[in-house]
Amino acid sequence: MTTDPSLLNSELELQQQEELYQQLLLQTVGNIQKENPDSKVIRPNPGLCVKTVSEPDKQKVFVNICQSNSIPSPPEISKEELVELLQSEDPSGYRVPMSLGEPHTEVDNSSQGCTAYDVVINQEFFQRCQEDPLFQQFVILVSIEGLENKYNLELSRDWKVLKNRKFLGSVSEQNIRTKTKPVIQELQPQGSSSDVAKRPEFTLLVEPPAGHPEYLIAEIKLPGVPSSHSLVLDVGEDRLVLTARPSLFHLDIFHPFLIHQENSVAQYNKSTEILTVTMPVVCS
């Protein structure tokens, strides 16, 4: 029995190409993290695959819901509270932190081209969704809504969870933000103050009041705060965290909008003792 040397050479070339690809990938990941120290690259684990179609053209779309401990978990919520939330007039008040990946072209079981998106959520929260059908349907819904908002899509709500497939395509890295950009001078923390700090009174307003919102405005009352130098403010895509030192106030809220973090501004009025945070809205 003889072996065709061309086959061996082809296999060797493929192996060398794969090794080179991995080296370039690791080098690229390292460069990304050096250039942007406030973010990191993660490789999520497969979770479940959801099949739906785009509207109105009825093109196949697959949503890979993945899991990673690098994504923060959402606030604790019971099944009863979730039912009440879904029946309320504003179910968007509860936010699930997630990373929405770029679309990638794949081939389905029928050898037809399709589009797939990767959504990454917290690993522990994903496990809870696996154990409770209500939580699973909820996380699929918010994943689809997140993709629609980010990529200006319209996806059918008549979806199907694939039983024998956890992922369509190959798992890719995602670059996630690890630190939000402060828009008020940041002070070094001196011990934990949120345990004894009070939750301040605040109001969220949208401008204009009717139609598509262009700005989300937070007005936060901070009696006793002498100046903005006592404040540490972090503005995320859908989250606002404020600490007034020492041990005066602490506020950590999610809001139902995606905003431009870098273009957000804050102003503290010492006479009225009100902090006003103006955040441009990407989409609601």
Side-chain angles (χ1 to χ4, degrees):
M1 178 178 179
T2 59
T3 303
D4 187 347
S6 63
L7 296 178
L8 294 177
N9 291 335
S10 298
E11 293 179 359
L12 181 60
E13 289 177 0
L14 289 175
Q15 182 179 356
Q16 291 174 340
Q17 290 176 2
E18 178 64 22
E19 291 175 353
L20 178 60
Y21 169 76
Q22 292 297 333
Q23 292 175 2
L24 292 174
L25 182 61
L26 290 174
Q27 182 179 354
T28 302
V29 169
N31 291 337
I32 290 175
Q33 292 177 331
K34 288 179 181 178
E35 294 172 1
N36 189 1
D38 292 342
S39 66
K40 69 176 182 179
V41 176
I42 64 169
R43 178 179 283 272
N45 297 317
L48 61 88
C49 185
V50 179
K51 177 183 176 182
T52 184
V53 295
S54 58
E55 300 288 1
D57 55 357
K58 302 297 182 181
Q59 296 296 312
K60 288 183 183 179
V61 173
F62 292 84
V63 180
N64 298 315
I65 299 181
C66 311
Q67 50 186 319
S68 172
N69 285 328
S70 298
I71 303 296
S73 60
E76 284 291 330
I77 186 172
S78 66
K79 184 173 182 178
E80 291 74 19
E81 291 172 332
L82 180 59
V83 171
E84 183 178 348
L85 177 73
L86 295 174
Q87 293 175 346
S88 67
E89 296 181 357
D90 185 22
S92 60
Y94 180 79
R95 304 290 293 186
V96 179
M98 59 179 57
S99 175
L100 305 173
E102 298 291 329
H104 49 98
T105 303
E106 302 293 343
V107 177
D108 63 11
N109 289 337
S110 304
S111 300
Q112 299 295 319
C114 60
T115 303
Y117 296 85
D118 304 340
V119 178
V120 190
I121 64 174
N122 176 264
Q123 187 166 341
E124 291 185 6
F125 187 68
F126 176 82
Q127 296 302 325
R128 184 173 187 184
C129 295
Q130 290 293 84
E131 298 167 359
D132 192 313
L134 177 64
F135 276 84
Q136 184 183 91
Q137 294 296 307
F138 172 68
V139 82
I140 293 173
L141 176 62
V142 296
S143 298
I144 286 179
E145 290 179 345
L147 292 172
E148 288 179 327
N149 288 333
K150 183 173 183 178
Y151 296 110
N152 194 26
L153 305 172
E154 184 177 350
L155 300 176
S156 171
R157 296 304 189 263
D158 186 19
W159 63 68
K160 178 182 179 181
V161 179
L162 304 184
K163 294 182 179 180
N164 300 319
R165 183 186 288 272
K166 294 183 177 180
F167 197 94
L168 180 67
S170 57
V171 180
S172 301
E173 287 85 0
Q174 287 200 27
N175 191 35
I176 64 171
R177 181 182 293 271
T178 58
K179 183 181 179 182
T180 55
K181 180 181 178 182
V183 291
I184 290 183
Q185 180 182 1
E186 182 175 358
L187 303 179
Q188 294 297 324
Q190 301 175 354
S192 176
S193 62
S194 60
D195 293 337
V196 294
K198 298 179 181 178
R199 180 182 173 93
E201 295 183 22
F202 68 93
T203 303
L204 292 178
L205 307 171
V206 293
E207 289 291 341
H212 178 74
E214 297 181 4
Y215 294 94
L216 175 66
I217 301 173
E219 295 182 349
I220 308 169
K221 297 181 180 179
L222 302 170
V225 174
S227 72
S228 63
H229 296 290
S230 303
L231 304 177
V232 178
L233 176 65
D234 278 346
V235 176
E237 289 184 343
D238 60 355
R239 185 180 185 184
L240 185 149
V241 181
L242 171 69
T243 300
R245 304 184 184 278
S247 305
L248 289 177
F249 298 101
H250 182 75
L251 180 65
D252 187 348
I253 57 172
F254 287 88
H255 50 74
F257 298 94
L258 291 178
I259 63 167
H260 285 291
Q261 298 164 264
E262 291 77 8
N263 296 333
S264 298
V265 295
Q267 184 176 20
Y268 182 63
N269 189 320
K270 292 190 289 185
S271 60
T272 61
E273 298 181 321
I274 293 178
L275 174 68
T276 302
V277 186
T278 303
M279 298 164 280
V281 174
V282 178
C283 53
S284 58

XYZ file of all heavy atoms in Angstrom, residues 141-176:
297
model
N -36.606 36.673 24.238
C -37.297 37.898 23.834
C -36.386 39.111 23.953
O -36.283 39.911 23.008
C -38.555 38.093 24.676
C -39.336 39.393 24.438
C -39.838 39.449 23.004
C -40.494 39.522 25.418
N -35.698 39.269 25.084
C -34.853 40.450 25.253
C -33.627 40.385 24.334
O -33.111 41.420 23.901
C -34.424 40.628 26.728
C -35.627 40.886 27.605
C -33.635 39.440 27.250
N -33.159 39.176 24.012
C -32.053 39.042 23.063
C -32.471 39.509 21.677
O -31.736 40.246 20.998
C -31.569 37.588 23.002
O -31.062 37.150 24.252
N -33.654 39.081 21.241
C -34.160 39.488 19.924
C -34.404 40.993 19.891
O -34.060 41.676 18.917
C -35.439 38.698 19.595
C -35.070 37.249 19.230
C -36.224 39.356 18.464
C -36.247 36.366 18.908
N -34.966 41.540 20.968
C -35.200 42.984 21.012
C -33.876 43.754 20.993
O -33.771 44.807 20.352
C -36.010 43.349 22.255
C -37.453 42.876 22.191
C -38.225 43.239 23.450
O -37.578 43.592 24.459
O -39.468 43.171 23.419
N -32.865 43.229 21.691
C -31.566 43.886 21.675
C -30.942 43.908 20.286
O -30.386 44.920 19.854
N -31.046 42.786 19.562
C -30.529 42.731 18.190
C -31.304 43.669 17.273
O -30.723 44.329 16.405
C -30.597 41.300 17.666
C -29.658 40.288 18.338
C -29.969 38.878 17.861
C -28.199 40.628 18.062
N -32.612 43.726 17.449
C -33.433 44.626 16.619
C -33.018 46.081 16.820
O -32.903 46.844 15.868
C -34.907 44.436 16.960
C -35.497 43.132 16.467
C -36.954 42.973 16.852
O -37.353 43.466 17.941
O -37.706 42.352 16.094
N -32.787 46.458 18.086
C -32.417 47.845 18.379
C -31.026 48.173 17.850
O -30.802 49.243 17.284
C -32.471 48.099 19.890
C -33.885 48.139 20.414
O -34.807 48.477 19.686
N -34.068 47.790 21.670
N -30.083 47.259 18.028
C -28.694 47.547 17.647
C -28.500 47.556 16.141
O -27.753 48.382 15.605
C -27.755 46.533 18.289
C -26.283 46.808 18.012
C -25.370 45.895 18.802
C -23.900 46.246 18.554
N -22.985 45.396 19.352
N -29.167 46.629 15.440
C -28.918 46.470 14.011
C -30.105 46.894 13.140
O -30.114 46.597 11.949
C -28.543 45.018 13.709
C -27.240 44.610 14.361
C -27.214 43.708 15.415
C -26.028 45.143 13.930
C -26.021 43.335 16.024
C -24.830 44.779 14.523
C -24.834 43.879 15.571
O -23.652 43.518 16.170
N -31.085 47.545 13.739
C -32.244 48.045 12.992
C -32.925 46.910 12.228
O -33.154 46.998 11.015
C -31.826 49.167 12.042
C -33.010 49.940 11.498
O -34.067 49.998 12.124
N -32.849 50.531 10.325
N -33.237 45.839 12.957
C -33.873 44.662 12.360
C -35.331 44.576 12.769
O -35.797 45.271 13.669
C -33.162 43.383 12.833
C -31.656 43.259 12.612
C -31.142 42.023 13.330
C -31.347 43.169 11.136
N -36.031 43.685 12.109
C -37.367 43.269 12.539
C -37.398 41.748 12.438
O -37.313 41.190 11.350
C -38.462 43.891 11.682
C -39.865 43.542 12.187
C -40.961 44.215 11.380
O -40.641 45.089 10.554
O -42.139 43.840 11.580
N -37.489 41.082 13.602
C -37.431 39.625 13.653
C -38.756 39.062 14.122
O -39.428 39.647 14.975
C -36.308 39.166 14.600
C -34.893 39.620 14.229
C -33.899 39.185 15.296
C -34.485 39.072 12.870
N -39.120 37.925 13.563
C -40.382 37.277 13.914
C -40.345 36.772 15.349
O -39.316 36.285 15.823
C -40.650 36.116 12.959
O -41.763 35.344 13.407
N -41.484 36.896 16.041
C -41.603 36.359 17.400
C -42.001 34.880 17.387
O -42.104 34.253 18.431
C -42.628 37.155 18.203
C -42.244 38.622 18.424
C -40.890 38.740 19.093
N -40.592 40.096 19.514
C -39.867 40.959 18.834
N -39.381 40.612 17.648
N -39.612 42.174 19.297
N -42.191 34.334 16.192
C -42.509 32.912 16.054
C -41.196 32.136 15.924
O -40.852 31.626 14.867
C -43.405 32.683 14.833
C -43.880 31.233 14.728
O -43.828 30.523 15.755
O -44.272 30.813 13.627
N -40.462 32.048 17.048
C -39.147 31.420 17.017
C -39.220 29.963 17.450
O -40.243 29.496 17.966
C -38.170 32.186 17.905
C -38.534 32.200 19.366
C -38.534 31.133 20.234
C -38.958 33.322 20.129
N -38.928 31.529 21.481
C -39.181 32.870 21.449
C -39.151 34.668 19.836
C -39.605 33.723 22.470
C -39.566 35.521 20.856
C -39.791 35.046 22.137
N -38.114 29.264 17.251
C -38.024 27.856 17.633
C -36.649 27.587 18.227
O -35.628 27.951 17.637
C -38.238 26.957 16.403
C -38.106 25.460 16.705
C -38.288 24.638 15.432
C -38.131 23.140 15.720
N -38.272 22.327 14.483
N -36.625 26.961 19.403
C -35.367 26.571 20.033
C -34.954 25.205 19.478
O -35.714 24.237 19.561
C -35.508 26.499 21.571
C -34.183 26.055 22.208
C -35.939 27.854 22.134
N -33.773 25.131 18.874
C -33.292 23.882 18.287
C -32.866 22.918 19.403
O -32.111 23.289 20.296
C -32.124 24.154 17.341
C -32.406 25.153 16.206
C -31.204 25.248 15.280
C -33.654 24.753 15.432
N -33.357 21.696 19.326
C -33.123 20.733 20.400
C -31.717 20.140 20.379
O -31.122 19.914 21.427
C -34.164 19.609 20.321
C -35.593 20.066 20.592
C -36.557 18.895 20.556
C -37.989 19.336 20.853
N -38.940 18.195 20.808
N -31.205 19.867 19.218
C -29.932 19.142 19.120
C -28.772 20.026 18.688
O -27.750 19.535 18.215
C -30.073 17.972 18.137
C -31.131 16.977 18.568
O -31.234 16.662 19.749
N -31.925 16.502 17.624
N -28.915 21.323 18.848
C -27.840 22.227 18.449
C -27.744 23.362 19.464
O -28.739 24.028 19.762
C -28.089 22.787 17.054
C -26.965 23.687 16.540
C -27.334 24.320 15.212
N -27.309 23.347 14.135
C -26.214 23.069 13.424
N -25.071 23.660 13.709
N -26.276 22.194 12.445
N -26.538 23.562 19.997
C -26.316 24.644 20.951
C -25.775 25.898 20.289
O -25.767 26.977 20.899
C -25.330 24.201 22.043
C -25.850 23.088 22.937
C -24.834 22.779 24.027
C -25.375 21.704 24.972
N -24.400 21.396 26.052
N -25.291 25.763 19.041
C -24.641 26.886 18.380
C -24.611 26.624 16.882
O -24.376 25.500 16.448
C -23.208 27.043 18.917
C -22.585 28.381 18.632
C -22.652 29.410 19.564
C -21.927 28.624 17.443
C -22.074 30.639 19.312
C -21.344 29.849 17.178
C -21.422 30.854 18.124
N -24.844 27.651 16.088
C -24.693 27.535 14.642
C -23.444 28.298 14.232
O -23.308 29.490 14.512
C -25.907 28.115 13.921
C -25.837 28.027 12.384
C -25.904 26.571 11.927
C -26.947 28.840 11.735
N -22.517 27.596 13.563
C -21.256 28.214 13.184
C -20.164 27.826 14.163
O -20.172 26.723 14.724
N -19.215 28.721 14.383
C -18.132 28.483 15.337
C -18.099 29.622 16.343
O -18.363 30.778 15.998
C -16.782 28.386 14.609
O -16.542 29.560 13.855
N -17.785 29.279 17.595
C -17.772 30.271 18.667
C -16.632 31.268 18.428
O -15.486 30.880 18.228
C -17.610 29.597 20.036
C -17.604 30.644 21.146
C -18.720 28.593 20.265
N -16.959 32.540 18.434
C -15.967 33.597 18.208
C -15.790 34.450 19.454
O -16.676 34.515 20.319
C -16.397 34.502 17.045
O -16.561 33.755 15.853
N -14.622 35.104 19.533
C -14.372 36.013 20.648
C -15.252 37.259 20.520
O -15.666 37.639 19.423
C -12.900 36.443 20.693
C -11.939 35.382 21.170
C -11.484 34.458 20.060
O -11.946 34.660 18.907
O -10.685 33.550 20.316
N -15.517 37.863 21.664
C -16.202 39.153 21.680
C -15.411 40.107 22.561
O -14.856 39.706 23.581
C -17.643 39.011 22.192
C -18.583 38.355 21.210
C -20.041 38.651 21.511
O -20.369 39.674 22.099
N -20.917 37.758 21.091
N -15.374 41.357 22.154
C -14.685 42.399 22.917
C -15.708 43.129 23.769
O -16.603 43.782 23.245
C -13.984 43.362 21.948
C -13.045 44.304 22.661
O -12.413 43.939 23.649
N -12.948 45.523 22.174
N -15.584 43.008 25.093
C -16.571 43.613 25.975
C -15.919 44.706 26.803
O -14.728 44.666 27.100
C -17.225 42.569 26.913
C -16.187 41.966 27.869
C -17.916 41.487 26.116
C -16.801 41.104 28.944
